[in-house]
Amino acid sequence: MTGRLASLLDDGLERGSGAIVEDPGGRLDAGGILARAGAVAAELARHGIGPDEPVLVSVGNRAADFAALLGTWRAGAVAVPVHATTPGRVLESLREATGVRLVLDGATGEAARVADAPPPGRALLDGAALVIFTSGSTGAPKGVVIGHDRLAGKLDVLRSVLGIAHGPHTLLPLQVTFIFGIWVSLVTVLAGGRLTMMPKFTPAAARAALGSGVTTAAFVPTMLRALFSEAAPPPAAPDLTRILTGGEPLGEGLGTRIAEAFPAAGLYDLYGLTETGSCDFCVTPDLRAAAPGTIGMPTPGVAFRIAEPADAGAGGAGELLIRTPYGMLGYLDRPDLTAASFADGWFRTGDLARRRPDGTVELAGRAKDIVSRGGNKIAPLEIDRLFCSHPDVVAALAAGVPDPLLGERLHVMVVPRAGAAVDARSLADWAAERIERFKIPDVFHFSAALPLGRTGKADRGALRDWVAQGAKNG
């Protein structure tokens, strides 16, 4: 059964909406998208794809990738987007987690069979469009199941909140393996717009694109910091009317610089989680001056409350809880984790927050240890476990350390095996074969023992403090 997103896209494209999806190597108009999506659906049908069956879809921010997602939905399957450069071991772990028998190459539209038996039937995937894997506090990636109807409803909200009418020209350096990149793509095409996809972000390429008629651009703050570095003047963007950002804190200073450089472009600072359907709060352009340092107000359909502070040291902040009709269907094959993530129907974000008198919400920190590096979320426990599996490592502890460019950089302290010769380069090369590149630590520290907290256990906070003290002392 074809999902709602496929029906919406098919209807819009068949009406001659003028939608175009392009990358540096190719371009597809509405007819081309439909034709390639039809070929992908036929390819999956040839392999005997079943209703609501998950399929790994290899993507790399190419025009053809958009058609591959549409074709997967046309075939009644569930897309599990993975980046084309994903290491083999990570890819294998995703195959095992999903039980897929087909891997679809988004660039060619060809499917490769990796297993003979179909995956088990899962009631959770009934009506699902996507399974997006995201890191969590357990250290293991979690498969967030996103439903067609819920995501379609959220797209309607976003078009209204962001004021996206017909025919935007959107620059997308965000990867379509993540919810932010996916919804920006869908909103643009549904509005009959031109979607310019960047396979890899570089400041030079983004500057050139911004000067070529782009009206909407979506960046994580790390990208904006690179664009607005002190070493170069602000980029020229004469047609820009809308900047979308999220995934990590923007910072008041950077927000001010952007507003000064692009006075005619509205800056939308978005907060949300994959689990809640993304974009639960928004600092709109007219709210920015009145509510600096906040995540703004909830978007339509989103309700929130702040739990009672767990301790006096939280400064009056409590956990931010969200209720929304656009959230996930659940975590794939983890009903226990799904249940634990909710409190009386409210999703537990793990973020500490306060409500200001004007109704806006400010974050006070993260209750979890998730590292936000350049907009990418990294579970430090996953990094601990990885390096502890190295034959020459006795112990490892990872933590995020504040950084002016990336928001946080990932540091790891390693305790080598006695007599072993290990260094940062060899460990990074070893890790590159086992995890995604954005999870490779920026800095390695070597010690005879891990820093301990008051309870005698390895303490991430102590590691962060040790790094900060070292930087202070030079």
Side-chain angles (χ1 to χ4, degrees):
M1 179 179 174
T2 300
R4 183 179 171 192
L5 290 173
S7 299
L8 288 173
L9 289 166
D10 281 344
D11 290 346
L13 292 168
E14 288 170 356
R15 286 196 303 267
S17 64
I20 294 172
V21 181
E22 61 186 4
D23 63 55
R27 175 180 174 131
L28 294 173
D29 60 12
I33 297 170
L34 289 169
R36 287 190 69 98
V40 167
E43 169 76 351
L44 294 176
R46 183 175 68 83
H47 283 277
I49 194 75
D52 302 316
E53 180 176 338
V55 176
L56 289 186
V57 183
S58 175
V59 296
N61 271 37
R62 303 159 300 209
D65 295 334
F66 189 89
L69 291 175
L70 174 55
T72 301
W73 295 331
R74 270 195 184 183
V78 181
V80 186
V82 295
H83 199 273
T85 61
T86 299
R89 295 192 183 191
V90 176
L91 192 63
E92 183 58 34
S93 69
L94 293 177
R95 291 174 186 166
E96 293 177 359
T98 55
V100 300
R101 55 175 170 166
L102 298 175
V103 176
L104 177 67
D105 186 332
T108 65
E110 297 177 353
R113 186 178 290 271
V114 295
D116 292 326
R122 296 162 164 119
L124 187 64
L125 293 183
D126 182 16
L130 295 156
V131 178
I132 300 175
F133 278 86
T134 179
S135 293
S137 59
T138 61
K142 301 174 291 185
V144 181
V145 180
I146 306 293
H148 276 276
D149 290 345
R150 297 187 183 190
L151 182 52
K154 189 69 176 190
L155 296 178
D156 287 339
V157 169
L158 289 168
R159 287 186 63 177
S160 175
V161 169
L162 304 176
I164 296 178
H166 183 74
H169 180 185
T170 301
L171 176 64
L172 185 74
L174 307 172
Q175 296 297 321
V176 292
T177 50
F178 302 111
I179 190 66
F180 195 176
I182 291 171
W183 73 250
V184 170
S185 302
L186 293 171
V187 164
T188 299
V189 172
L190 285 170
R194 176 180 171 187
L195 179 67
T196 298
M197 306 179 83
M198 294 178 62
K200 181 179 181 180
F201 170 81
T202 66
R207 284 173 173 269
L210 285 169
S212 62
V214 166
T215 63
T216 300
F219 299 103
V220 294
T222 295
M223 296 173 179
L224 290 168
R225 292 186 194 105
L227 279 174
F228 284 83
S229 68
E230 297 292 344
D239 300 301
L240 192 64
T241 59
R242 190 182 298 104
I243 303 170
L244 315 177
T245 190
E248 57 176 309
L250 177 65
E252 293 181 45
L254 179 58
T256 299
R257 290 194 66 197
I258 295 168
E260 291 174 348
F262 303 128
L267 178 61
Y268 294 82
D269 189 3
L270 302 156
Y271 167 89
L273 297 86
T274 304
E275 288 90 337
T276 54
S278 186
C279 305
D280 302 300
F281 287 78
C282 180
V283 180
T284 55
D286 58 348
L287 190 60
R288 174 160 302 283
T294 76
I295 57 174
M297 301 288 286
T299 53
V302 173
F304 77 96
R305 66 183 181 89
I306 297 175
E308 289 296 320
D311 58 73
E319 185 176 13
L320 177 62
L321 308 176
I322 290 175
R323 176 178 284 164
T324 171
Y326 310 118
M328 68 173 180
L329 300 177
Y331 291 117
L332 185 68
D333 297 334
R334 293 297 307 272
D336 56 331
L337 188 58
T338 302
S341 298
F342 289 86
D344 297 325
W346 297 85
F347 183 79
R348 304 183 60 183
T349 67
D351 285 329
L352 298 176
R354 305 181 188 90
R355 188 200 305 258
R356 288 187 173 183
D358 62 2
T360 60
V361 173
E362 64 176 356
L363 297 181
R366 287 190 296 276
K368 302 175 184 177
D369 284 323
I370 295 297
V371 178
S372 181
R373 180 187 183 277
N376 292 307
K377 303 300 190 293
I378 305 168
L381 184 58
E382 180 184 6
I383 308 305
D384 298 350
R385 289 172 174 168
L386 172 70
F387 286 103
C388 284
S389 71
H390 190 286
D392 289 330
V393 172
V394 173
L397 184 69
V401 176
D403 179 79
L405 178 62
L406 295 177
E408 289 183 298
R409 287 192 185 272
L410 183 63
H411 288 239
V412 63
M413 180 169 281
V414 171
V415 179
R417 177 177 55 81
V422 293
D423 57 31
R425 174 60 62 84
S426 64
L427 287 177
D429 290 344
W430 178 84
E433 299 178 359
R434 293 163 173 80
I435 55 173
E436 296 95 326
R437 293 191 63 83
F438 71 84
K439 295 181 180 178
I440 297 174
D442 298 286
V443 183
F444 289 81
H445 305 278
F446 297 89
S447 176
L450 297 179
L452 304 179
R454 290 177 300 174
T455 62
K457 297 179 181 180
D459 188 327
R460 296 189 203 284
L463 173 57
R464 283 190 291 268
D465 293 343
W466 179 84
V467 172
Q469 188 62 38
K472 180 178 179 181
N473 295 336

